[in-house]
Amino acid sequence: MKKILILGGTAEAVYLAGALKEQTDLSVIYSLAGRTRSPNLPDCDLRRGGFGGATGLVRYLQQNEIVAVMDATHPYAAQMAENARLATTETSLAHYKFLRPAWPEPDDGLWIHASSSKEAAERIHDNFKRVFLSGGLNDVADFSNLTDVWFLIRSIEEPEAPIPLGNFSHIKARGPFNEADERALLRDPKIDALVSKNSGGSATIAKLHAAKSLSIPVIMIDRPPIVGGVVFDDPLALLEQLRRDI
Ligand code: NAP
């Protein structure tokens, strides 16, 4: 049976793994970085943890006789995307990339663009004092020099290490979120800026609607460039293509 490796971690990756297992005679292996303690999982073979860079991924692909790689990681998983590009080039394997459509920028002028979380911190400096960091715990250290800012931090998991910020409140919550709750979350602690990644999808978009309704600026960390693979933003079109190719 032909084997496909899915680099997972998104709702669409879980869907694609399930659909491929049901609708094709492919053997599906779903791979996770392994950092989320209770991830959503598809009903197929699973593996967890890094491969050891592009070289490790090449080894894994060869040892497991994989015929195609589908990168359906988060749009900001730039290292994994680059490793997938390098490894599939090296092994001449088919490489599909699922990328959720980005949220479009509204024409209200309230988005402030940043190319990284470090640049988002520069945008906050001297401009905002009560900031909602909505993108989890990964990048909070980039905001640690902003000692006169109070942060609200939301993450799916409890922090495993102390949060490296002076003034903050942390909440643990998993989407989907609704607009009324998001509005209260922004309004009650008098948030004056929201920092977000452009994740796309419906589960976490309510924070943007809430910010817009309260005229709160959004510091949007833009997506990293797409580095390789045949790119799809529609899971059904990707499934269709795979059925034709493999
Ligand atoms: P990354 O920086 O691209 O990946 C770092 C390393 O983790 C990779 O080199 C790889 O290790 C391992 N890895 C990543 N995805 C893997 C997978 N599916 N299977 C096996 N190993 C995997 O990506 P990231 O660390 O996952 O996340 C990068 C950014 O995306 C973060 O800023 C995070 O906030 C964001 N993100 C957000 C969400 C969300 O739902 N909002 C979800 C995921 C990520 P090896 O090199 O050893 O193979």
Side-chain angles (χ1 to χ4, degrees), residues 191-222:
I191 294 295
D192 60 9
L194 159 68
V195 176
S196 176
K197 290 183 174 145
N198 195 333
S199 301
S202 58
T204 59
I205 196 173
K207 63 188 171 189
L208 299 183
H209 296 320
K212 184 177 169 69
S213 74
L214 296 168
S215 297
I216 292 174
V218 175
I219 302 173
M220 184 57 81
I221 303 172
D222 293 323

PDB file of all heavy atoms in Angstrom, residues 191-222:
ATOM      1  N   ILE A 191      -8.221  46.927  26.686  1.00  0.00           N
ATOM      2  CA  ILE A 191      -7.163  46.620  25.715  1.00  0.00           C
ATOM      3  C   ILE A 191      -7.096  47.744  24.675  1.00  0.00           C
ATOM      4  O   ILE A 191      -8.134  48.183  24.165  1.00  0.00           O
ATOM      5  CB  ILE A 191      -7.487  45.269  25.018  1.00  0.00           C
ATOM      6  CG1 ILE A 191      -7.427  44.110  26.020  1.00  0.00           C
ATOM      7  CG2 ILE A 191      -6.573  45.034  23.821  1.00  0.00           C
ATOM      8  CD1 ILE A 191      -6.084  43.813  26.614  1.00  0.00           C
ATOM      9  N   ASP A 192      -5.873  48.206  24.372  1.00  0.00           N
ATOM     10  CA  ASP A 192      -5.769  49.262  23.344  1.00  0.00           C
ATOM     11  C   ASP A 192      -5.084  48.771  22.063  1.00  0.00           C
ATOM     12  O   ASP A 192      -4.994  49.533  21.090  1.00  0.00           O
ATOM     13  CB  ASP A 192      -5.119  50.550  23.895  1.00  0.00           C
ATOM     14  CG  ASP A 192      -3.705  50.342  24.411  1.00  0.00           C
ATOM     15  OD1 ASP A 192      -3.139  49.245  24.208  1.00  0.00           O
ATOM     16  OD2 ASP A 192      -3.157  51.285  25.018  1.00  0.00           O
ATOM     17  N   ALA A 193      -4.614  47.517  22.019  1.00  0.00           N
ATOM     18  CA  ALA A 193      -4.119  46.938  20.760  1.00  0.00           C
ATOM     19  C   ALA A 193      -4.145  45.417  20.864  1.00  0.00           C
ATOM     20  O   ALA A 193      -3.950  44.850  21.941  1.00  0.00           O
ATOM     21  CB  ALA A 193      -2.697  47.409  20.456  1.00  0.00           C
ATOM     22  N   LEU A 194      -4.408  44.798  19.715  1.00  0.00           N
ATOM     23  CA  LEU A 194      -4.441  43.330  19.640  1.00  0.00           C
ATOM     24  C   LEU A 194      -3.310  42.880  18.724  1.00  0.00           C
ATOM     25  O   LEU A 194      -3.144  43.432  17.638  1.00  0.00           O
ATOM     26  CB  LEU A 194      -5.799  42.922  19.043  1.00  0.00           C
ATOM     27  CG  LEU A 194      -5.951  41.538  18.409  1.00  0.00           C
ATOM     28  CD1 LEU A 194      -5.858  40.450  19.465  1.00  0.00           C
ATOM     29  CD2 LEU A 194      -7.297  41.447  17.682  1.00  0.00           C
ATOM     30  N   VAL A 195      -2.516  41.903  19.168  1.00  0.00           N
ATOM     31  CA  VAL A 195      -1.483  41.328  18.301  1.00  0.00           C
ATOM     32  C   VAL A 195      -1.980  39.970  17.825  1.00  0.00           C
ATOM     33  O   VAL A 195      -2.403  39.137  18.628  1.00  0.00           O
ATOM     34  CB  VAL A 195      -0.137  41.159  19.040  1.00  0.00           C
ATOM     35  CG1 VAL A 195       0.889  40.469  18.144  1.00  0.00           C
ATOM     36  CG2 VAL A 195       0.393  42.519  19.503  1.00  0.00           C
ATOM     37  N   SER A 196      -1.943  39.766  16.501  1.00  0.00           N
ATOM     38  CA  SER A 196      -2.480  38.529  15.937  1.00  0.00           C
ATOM     39  C   SER A 196      -1.590  38.043  14.797  1.00  0.00           C
ATOM     40  O   SER A 196      -0.947  38.842  14.119  1.00  0.00           O
ATOM     41  CB  SER A 196      -3.887  38.803  15.389  1.00  0.00           C
ATOM     42  OG  SER A 196      -4.414  37.666  14.751  1.00  0.00           O
ATOM     43  N   LYS A 197      -1.603  36.713  14.595  1.00  0.00           N
ATOM     44  CA  LYS A 197      -1.081  36.177  13.336  1.00  0.00           C
ATOM     45  C   LYS A 197      -2.257  36.071  12.378  1.00  0.00           C
ATOM     46  O   LYS A 197      -3.404  35.931  12.817  1.00  0.00           O
ATOM     47  CB  LYS A 197      -0.472  34.801  13.577  1.00  0.00           C
ATOM     48  CG  LYS A 197       0.808  34.885  14.375  1.00  0.00           C
ATOM     49  CD  LYS A 197       1.447  33.538  14.565  1.00  0.00           C
ATOM     50  CE  LYS A 197       2.786  33.742  15.242  1.00  0.00           C
ATOM     51  NZ  LYS A 197       3.125  32.674  16.175  1.00  0.00           N
ATOM     52  N   ASN A 198      -1.962  36.063  11.086  1.00  0.00           N
ATOM     53  CA  ASN A 198      -3.048  35.926  10.120  1.00  0.00           C
ATOM     54  C   ASN A 198      -3.284  34.433   9.855  1.00  0.00           C
ATOM     55  O   ASN A 198      -2.950  33.902   8.793  1.00  0.00           O
ATOM     56  CB  ASN A 198      -2.754  36.682   8.832  1.00  0.00           C
ATOM     57  CG  ASN A 198      -4.012  36.850   7.999  1.00  0.00           C
ATOM     58  OD1 ASN A 198      -4.920  36.025   8.096  1.00  0.00           O
ATOM     59  ND2 ASN A 198      -4.079  37.897   7.202  1.00  0.00           N
ATOM     60  N   SER A 199      -3.875  33.786  10.867  1.00  0.00           N
ATOM     61  CA  SER A 199      -4.043  32.329  10.812  1.00  0.00           C
ATOM     62  C   SER A 199      -5.071  31.915   9.780  1.00  0.00           C
ATOM     63  O   SER A 199      -4.992  30.822   9.235  1.00  0.00           O
ATOM     64  CB  SER A 199      -4.466  31.806  12.181  1.00  0.00           C
ATOM     65  OG  SER A 199      -3.494  32.131  13.129  1.00  0.00           O
ATOM     66  N   GLY A 200      -6.062  32.764   9.518  1.00  0.00           N
ATOM     67  CA  GLY A 200      -7.147  32.366   8.632  1.00  0.00           C
ATOM     68  C   GLY A 200      -8.094  31.395   9.340  1.00  0.00           C
ATOM     69  O   GLY A 200      -7.860  31.003  10.483  1.00  0.00           O
ATOM     70  N   GLY A 201      -9.189  31.055   8.647  1.00  0.00           N
ATOM     71  CA  GLY A 201     -10.154  30.112   9.228  1.00  0.00           C
ATOM     72  C   GLY A 201     -11.163  30.819  10.124  1.00  0.00           C
ATOM     73  O   GLY A 201     -11.059  32.017  10.393  1.00  0.00           O
ATOM     74  N   SER A 202     -12.140  30.038  10.590  1.00  0.00           N
ATOM     75  CA  SER A 202     -13.249  30.648  11.331  1.00  0.00           C
ATOM     76  C   SER A 202     -13.081  30.578  12.849  1.00  0.00           C
ATOM     77  O   SER A 202     -13.707  31.339  13.579  1.00  0.00           O
ATOM     78  CB  SER A 202     -14.568  29.958  10.934  1.00  0.00           C
ATOM     79  OG  SER A 202     -14.447  28.570  11.205  1.00  0.00           O
ATOM     80  N   ALA A 203     -12.222  29.693  13.343  1.00  0.00           N
ATOM     81  CA  ALA A 203     -12.198  29.429  14.786  1.00  0.00           C
ATOM     82  C   ALA A 203     -11.771  30.639  15.614  1.00  0.00           C
ATOM     83  O   ALA A 203     -12.260  30.837  16.728  1.00  0.00           O
ATOM     84  CB  ALA A 203     -11.277  28.244  15.085  1.00  0.00           C
ATOM     85  N   THR A 204     -10.872  31.468  15.072  1.00  0.00           N
ATOM     86  CA  THR A 204     -10.331  32.564  15.889  1.00  0.00           C
ATOM     87  C   THR A 204     -10.531  33.941  15.251  1.00  0.00           C
ATOM     88  O   THR A 204      -9.938  34.918  15.709  1.00  0.00           O
ATOM     89  CB  THR A 204      -8.830  32.336  16.187  1.00  0.00           C
ATOM     90  OG1 THR A 204      -8.113  32.257  14.941  1.00  0.00           O
ATOM     91  CG2 THR A 204      -8.600  31.066  16.976  1.00  0.00           C
ATOM     92  N   ILE A 205     -11.398  34.003  14.234  1.00  0.00           N
ATOM     93  CA  ILE A 205     -11.572  35.304  13.551  1.00  0.00           C
ATOM     94  C   ILE A 205     -12.390  36.295  14.396  1.00  0.00           C
ATOM     95  O   ILE A 205     -12.297  37.521  14.191  1.00  0.00           O
ATOM     96  CB  ILE A 205     -12.218  35.117  12.163  1.00  0.00           C
ATOM     97  CG1 ILE A 205     -12.032  36.391  11.332  1.00  0.00           C
ATOM     98  CG2 ILE A 205     -13.681  34.719  12.271  1.00  0.00           C
ATOM     99  CD1 ILE A 205     -12.482  36.284   9.895  1.00  0.00           C
ATOM    100  N   ALA A 206     -13.154  35.793  15.370  1.00  0.00           N
ATOM    101  CA  ALA A 206     -14.052  36.678  16.133  1.00  0.00           C
ATOM    102  C   ALA A 206     -13.284  37.806  16.826  1.00  0.00           C
ATOM    103  O   ALA A 206     -13.816  38.906  16.993  1.00  0.00           O
ATOM    104  CB  ALA A 206     -14.843  35.865  17.148  1.00  0.00           C
ATOM    105  N   LYS A 207     -12.026  37.563  17.193  1.00  0.00           N
ATOM    106  CA  LYS A 207     -11.252  38.623  17.872  1.00  0.00           C
ATOM    107  C   LYS A 207     -11.079  39.824  16.935  1.00  0.00           C
ATOM    108  O   LYS A 207     -11.067  40.973  17.387  1.00  0.00           O
ATOM    109  CB  LYS A 207      -9.886  38.093  18.317  1.00  0.00           C
ATOM    110  CG  LYS A 207      -8.990  37.654  17.175  1.00  0.00           C
ATOM    111  CD  LYS A 207      -7.727  36.953  17.645  1.00  0.00           C
ATOM    112  CE  LYS A 207      -6.982  36.354  16.471  1.00  0.00           C
ATOM    113  NZ  LYS A 207      -5.872  35.489  16.869  1.00  0.00           N
ATOM    114  N   LEU A 208     -10.956  39.555  15.619  1.00  0.00           N
ATOM    115  CA  LEU A 208     -10.794  40.659  14.665  1.00  0.00           C
ATOM    116  C   LEU A 208     -12.103  41.438  14.515  1.00  0.00           C
ATOM    117  O   LEU A 208     -12.098  42.670  14.443  1.00  0.00           O
ATOM    118  CB  LEU A 208     -10.332  40.133  13.303  1.00  0.00           C
ATOM    119  CG  LEU A 208      -8.991  39.409  13.281  1.00  0.00           C
ATOM    120  CD1 LEU A 208      -8.635  39.017  11.852  1.00  0.00           C
ATOM    121  CD2 LEU A 208      -7.879  40.274  13.876  1.00  0.00           C
ATOM    122  N   HIS A 209     -13.216  40.720  14.475  1.00  0.00           N
ATOM    123  CA  HIS A 209     -14.517  41.399  14.403  1.00  0.00           C
ATOM    124  C   HIS A 209     -14.733  42.243  15.666  1.00  0.00           C
ATOM    125  O   HIS A 209     -15.221  43.374  15.604  1.00  0.00           O
ATOM    126  CB  HIS A 209     -15.649  40.378  14.254  1.00  0.00           C
ATOM    127  CG  HIS A 209     -15.580  39.588  12.966  1.00  0.00           C
ATOM    128  ND1 HIS A 209     -15.230  40.154  11.776  1.00  0.00           N
ATOM    129  CD2 HIS A 209     -15.810  38.281  12.697  1.00  0.00           C
ATOM    130  CE1 HIS A 209     -15.258  39.233  10.810  1.00  0.00           C
ATOM    131  NE2 HIS A 209     -15.595  38.094  11.356  1.00  0.00           N
ATOM    132  N   ALA A 210     -14.360  41.673  16.804  1.00  0.00           N
ATOM    133  CA  ALA A 210     -14.535  42.398  18.074  1.00  0.00           C
ATOM    134  C   ALA A 210     -13.660  43.650  18.096  1.00  0.00           C
ATOM    135  O   ALA A 210     -14.110  44.734  18.481  1.00  0.00           O
ATOM    136  CB  ALA A 210     -14.187  41.474  19.240  1.00  0.00           C
ATOM    137  N   ALA A 211     -12.399  43.501  17.663  1.00  0.00           N
ATOM    138  CA  ALA A 211     -11.484  44.658  17.659  1.00  0.00           C
ATOM    139  C   ALA A 211     -12.031  45.745  16.740  1.00  0.00           C
ATOM    140  O   ALA A 211     -12.032  46.933  17.087  1.00  0.00           O
ATOM    141  CB  ALA A 211     -10.091  44.213  17.212  1.00  0.00           C
ATOM    142  N   LYS A 212     -12.535  45.322  15.592  1.00  0.00           N
ATOM    143  CA  LYS A 212     -13.085  46.306  14.628  1.00  0.00           C
ATOM    144  C   LYS A 212     -14.270  47.049  15.250  1.00  0.00           C
ATOM    145  O   LYS A 212     -14.366  48.285  15.151  1.00  0.00           O
ATOM    146  CB  LYS A 212     -13.510  45.565  13.355  1.00  0.00           C
ATOM    147  CG  LYS A 212     -13.999  46.459  12.229  1.00  0.00           C
ATOM    148  CD  LYS A 212     -14.312  45.585  11.019  1.00  0.00           C
ATOM    149  CE  LYS A 212     -15.056  46.332   9.948  1.00  0.00           C
ATOM    150  NZ  LYS A 212     -14.280  47.352   9.270  1.00  0.00           N
ATOM    151  N   SER A 213     -15.139  46.309  15.924  1.00  0.00           N
ATOM    152  CA  SER A 213     -16.340  46.957  16.486  1.00  0.00           C
ATOM    153  C   SER A 213     -15.975  47.927  17.605  1.00  0.00           C
ATOM    154  O   SER A 213     -16.726  48.858  17.887  1.00  0.00           O
ATOM    155  CB  SER A 213     -17.341  45.904  16.973  1.00  0.00           C
ATOM    156  OG  SER A 213     -16.876  45.335  18.176  1.00  0.00           O
ATOM    157  N   LEU A 214     -14.828  47.720  18.250  1.00  0.00           N
ATOM    158  CA  LEU A 214     -14.392  48.622  19.325  1.00  0.00           C
ATOM    159  C   LEU A 214     -13.329  49.612  18.834  1.00  0.00           C
ATOM    160  O   LEU A 214     -12.744  50.345  19.639  1.00  0.00           O
ATOM    161  CB  LEU A 214     -13.812  47.787  20.485  1.00  0.00           C
ATOM    162  CG  LEU A 214     -14.797  46.845  21.190  1.00  0.00           C
ATOM    163  CD1 LEU A 214     -14.058  45.874  22.105  1.00  0.00           C
ATOM    164  CD2 LEU A 214     -15.817  47.643  21.988  1.00  0.00           C
ATOM    165  N   SER A 215     -13.044  49.590  17.513  1.00  0.00           N
ATOM    166  CA  SER A 215     -12.007  50.459  16.908  1.00  0.00           C
ATOM    167  C   SER A 215     -10.639  50.272  17.575  1.00  0.00           C
ATOM    168  O   SER A 215      -9.907  51.240  17.808  1.00  0.00           O
ATOM    169  CB  SER A 215     -12.424  51.935  16.974  1.00  0.00           C
ATOM    170  OG  SER A 215     -13.586  52.128  16.223  1.00  0.00           O
ATOM    171  N   ILE A 216     -10.321  49.038  17.897  1.00  0.00           N
ATOM    172  CA  ILE A 216      -9.012  48.740  18.500  1.00  0.00           C
ATOM    173  C   ILE A 216      -8.042  48.335  17.384  1.00  0.00           C
ATOM    174  O   ILE A 216      -8.352  47.433  16.590  1.00  0.00           O
ATOM    175  CB  ILE A 216      -9.153  47.599  19.544  1.00  0.00           C
ATOM    176  CG1 ILE A 216      -9.968  48.098  20.734  1.00  0.00           C
ATOM    177  CG2 ILE A 216      -7.789  47.080  19.990  1.00  0.00           C
ATOM    178  CD1 ILE A 216     -10.299  47.021  21.748  1.00  0.00           C
ATOM    179  N   PRO A 217      -6.880  48.953  17.293  1.00  0.00           N
ATOM    180  CA  PRO A 217      -5.917  48.577  16.259  1.00  0.00           C
ATOM    181  C   PRO A 217      -5.443  47.124  16.401  1.00  0.00           C
ATOM    182  O   PRO A 217      -5.313  46.613  17.516  1.00  0.00           O
ATOM    183  CB  PRO A 217      -4.740  49.542  16.489  1.00  0.00           C
ATOM    184  CG  PRO A 217      -5.307  50.656  17.298  1.00  0.00           C
ATOM    185  CD  PRO A 217      -6.419  50.086  18.104  1.00  0.00           C
ATOM    186  N   VAL A 218      -5.192  46.506  15.249  1.00  0.00           N
ATOM    187  CA  VAL A 218      -4.694  45.120  15.209  1.00  0.00           C
ATOM    188  C   VAL A 218      -3.274  45.146  14.655  1.00  0.00           C
ATOM    189  O   VAL A 218      -3.064  45.589  13.514  1.00  0.00           O
ATOM    190  CB  VAL A 218      -5.581  44.250  14.292  1.00  0.00           C
ATOM    191  CG1 VAL A 218      -4.995  42.850  14.145  1.00  0.00           C
ATOM    192  CG2 VAL A 218      -7.009  44.183  14.822  1.00  0.00           C
ATOM    193  N   ILE A 219      -2.321  44.711  15.448  1.00  0.00           N
ATOM    194  CA  ILE A 219      -0.959  44.580  14.929  1.00  0.00           C
ATOM    195  C   ILE A 219      -0.865  43.184  14.332  1.00  0.00           C
ATOM    196  O   ILE A 219      -0.859  42.177  15.051  1.00  0.00           O
ATOM    197  CB  ILE A 219       0.091  44.795  16.033  1.00  0.00           C
ATOM    198  CG1 ILE A 219      -0.112  46.184  16.649  1.00  0.00           C
ATOM    199  CG2 ILE A 219       1.509  44.631  15.478  1.00  0.00           C
ATOM    200  CD1 ILE A 219       0.731  46.475  17.852  1.00  0.00           C
ATOM    201  N   MET A 220      -0.889  43.125  12.995  1.00  0.00           N
ATOM    202  CA  MET A 220      -0.998  41.846  12.293  1.00  0.00           C
ATOM    203  C   MET A 220       0.393  41.377  11.868  1.00  0.00           C
ATOM    204  O   MET A 220       1.070  42.048  11.091  1.00  0.00           O
ATOM    205  CB  MET A 220      -1.900  42.007  11.069  1.00  0.00           C
ATOM    206  CG  MET A 220      -2.154  40.719  10.316  1.00  0.00           C
ATOM    207  SD  MET A 220      -2.884  39.426  11.355  1.00  0.00           S
ATOM    208  CE  MET A 220      -4.622  39.895  11.378  1.00  0.00           C
ATOM    209  N   ILE A 221       0.810  40.245  12.421  1.00  0.00           N
ATOM    210  CA  ILE A 221       2.094  39.660  12.018  1.00  0.00           C
ATOM    211  C   ILE A 221       1.836  38.913  10.708  1.00  0.00           C
ATOM    212  O   ILE A 221       1.074  37.937  10.682  1.00  0.00           O
ATOM    213  CB  ILE A 221       2.646  38.719  13.105  1.00  0.00           C
ATOM    214  CG1 ILE A 221       2.796  39.485  14.430  1.00  0.00           C
ATOM    215  CG2 ILE A 221       3.966  38.099  12.660  1.00  0.00           C
ATOM    216  CD1 ILE A 221       3.148  38.620  15.629  1.00  0.00           C
ATOM    217  N   ASP A 222       2.423  39.413   9.646  1.00  0.00           N
ATOM    218  CA  ASP A 222       2.128  38.848   8.328  1.00  0.00           C
ATOM    219  C   ASP A 222       2.711  37.451   8.171  1.00  0.00           C
ATOM    220  O   ASP A 222       3.672  37.077   8.847  1.00  0.00           O
ATOM    221  CB  ASP A 222       2.663  39.779   7.235  1.00  0.00           C
ATOM    222  CG  ASP A 222       1.895  41.098   7.213  1.00  0.00           C
ATOM    223  OD1 ASP A 222       0.665  41.061   7.440  1.00  0.00           O
ATOM    224  OD2 ASP A 222       2.519  42.150   7.006  1.00  0.00           O
TER     225      ASP A 222
END
